[in-house]
Amino acid sequence: MIDEQTDKPRSSFWKELPILLGVAVLVAVLVRAFVLQTFFIPSPSMENTLKIDDRVLVNKLVYHFRTPERGEVIVFKAPTEWSGNPDGEDFIKRVIGVSGDRVVCCDDEDRLVINGVSLDEPYIFSANGERDRPADQDFDVTVPPGRLWVMGDHRSASGDSLEHYQQSGQDINAATISEDAVVGRAFTVFWPVNRATWLSVPESYHDVPNS
C-alpha cells in the first residue's frame, strides 16, 4: 500500500511536467513580446552612457499608455534609409525633441535649445579631456506631429536625426522617426554588473516647456 500511494503523486508530477514547462515557455514568450526584452549595444553611438556589448533592459509596455518623452533612451525600428537593411534593424538613441518641439543648435554657450530653453547635456561623449559638440552644424527644426528627433550621446559617432537631416537635404521627415516605430524604453543597464545603472531622464529636460 505504501508503494502504491507514493507512485500516484510521482506519476501525476511527470504527467503535469510538460504542461508546466509549456506554461513557463508561453509566459516567457509573452513577456518578451509585450513587456520586457534585453538588447545588447553593438556600436559606440551612445558612449559613454552605453558601451559596446552592454546589455540593457527595455520596457515594451510603457508606450502603449503614453508617448516617448524628451531625454528617454529608446529602442526603435530604424527606417531602411537609416540602416540599409530592408528586414529592419533596432537602433538605440536618446529622444531630444518630441512632436511640435523646436530644436535649435546652438546658443552662445554651444548648447542645444528646445522650445527656447537651453539644454545642459552632461551625458555627451568626452575622452581625454575633450568633449563632443552638441552638433557639428547649426540647425533649426520643428519636429512634425507623431515623430521624434533622436540623437546619440556620442555625437561624433552617431547615425541619428542630425546626420539624416544633413544627408536628406534637410528633409525633416527623413530626419525623424515615427512614434509607431518605437519598440520601448531602455531603462537600465544590467550587464556587465560593474556598469549596472538606471537610465533616468537628466534633470535639465524637466525645464523644457511643451511646444
Side-chain angles (χ1 to χ4, degrees):
M1 294 295 294
I2 293 176
D3 289 340
E4 290 178 0
Q5 290 174 348
T6 55
D7 283 346
K8 287 181 180 179
R10 287 179 181 175
S11 176
S12 176
F13 170 77
W14 288 110
K15 288 180 179 179
E16 293 175 357
L17 182 59
I19 297 175
L20 294 173
L21 291 175
V23 170
V25 170
L26 178 60
V27 169
V29 169
L30 290 174
V31 167
R32 185 181 187 277
F34 300 108
V35 184
L36 296 174
Q37 188 172 348
T38 61
F39 288 84
F40 85 98
I41 306 305
S43 77
S45 70
M46 283 293 292
E47 290 179 338
N48 286 314
T49 304
L50 301 173
K51 296 188 176 183
I52 294 175
D53 290 334
D54 278 357
R55 264 60 173 178
V56 299
L57 196 59
V58 173
N59 182 336
K60 301 177 72 173
L61 191 61
V62 61
Y63 297 136
H64 289 284
F65 302 98
R66 64 172 178 84
T67 56
E69 297 178 357
R70 304 178 198 93
E72 293 179 337
V73 177
I74 62 169
V75 171
F76 60 93
K77 294 292 183 183
T80 302
E81 294 77 12
W82 287 37
S83 67
N85 185 350
D87 295 327
E89 188 173 334
D90 294 324
F91 277 24
I92 186 166
K93 306 291 179 190
R94 189 182 298 275
V95 178
I96 301 298
V98 299
S99 176
D101 281 350
R102 182 184 179 190
V103 185
V104 178
C105 176
C106 284
D107 69 7
D108 294 338
E109 297 181 26
D110 205 24
R111 297 175 296 180
L112 294 182
V113 180
I114 305 177
N115 299 336
V117 174
S118 296
L119 185 69
D120 290 320
E121 298 184 275
Y123 46 76
I124 288 181
F125 177 80
S126 63
N128 303 317
E130 294 189 9
R131 183 175 184 268
D132 276 4
R133 290 195 63 218
D136 61 9
Q137 72 167 35
D138 292 343
F139 64 90
D140 185 338
V141 300
T142 299
V143 183
R147 302 190 72 81
L148 304 168
W149 179 275
V150 297
M151 302 180 78
D153 291 355
H154 193 168
R155 298 289 158 81
S156 61
S158 177
D160 54 22
S161 286
L162 180 56
E163 179 181 82
H164 293 283
Y165 186 65
Q166 296 166 335
Q167 292 180 351
S168 66
Q170 301 186 351
D171 181 339
I172 189 60
N173 285 301
T176 51
I177 64 163
S178 169
E179 292 175 356
D180 293 337
V182 178
V183 174
R185 178 185 176 184
F187 65 95
T188 186
V189 178
F190 70 90
W191 190 264
V193 174
N194 64 350
R195 284 186 41 76
T197 187
W198 297 108
L199 298 173
S200 56
V201 175
E203 291 186 4
S204 57
Y205 284 91
H206 300 160
D207 298 326
V208 177
N210 291 328
S211 59

